[in-house]
Amino acid sequence: MSDNVVDISSKRDINRHKRKEQRLDDMKGRFEKALPTEEHDPKQKLLNIFRKKPKQ
């Protein structure tokens, strides 16, 4: 009898998580297009974004 129970909330949570991951990937792609860097290491890319620019 307990084998026939369907957990709808877990399916809903799984789908919500998949949508969030897809949105995150889309956002990363847009961010990379907006601020392209020469670095291939993601950590270095982020570090370069937040570094202060030298004063001229």
Side-chain angles (χ1 to χ4, degrees), residues 2-40:
S2 66
D3 294 335
N4 295 333
V5 176
V6 177
D7 189 12
I8 296 173
S9 64
S10 68
K11 296 286 186 184
R12 202 177 292 153
D13 290 339
I14 290 169
N15 288 337
R16 186 178 298 138
H17 183 69
K18 285 181 184 178
R19 282 194 308 265
K20 284 184 179 181
E21 284 184 346
Q22 184 179 12
R23 288 180 189 157
L24 179 63
D25 291 340
D26 293 341
M27 190 182 303
K28 283 181 182 178
R30 288 184 295 195
F31 188 78
E32 181 62 30
K33 287 179 186 176
L35 295 172
T37 60
E38 306 84 41
E39 298 291 333
H40 297 292

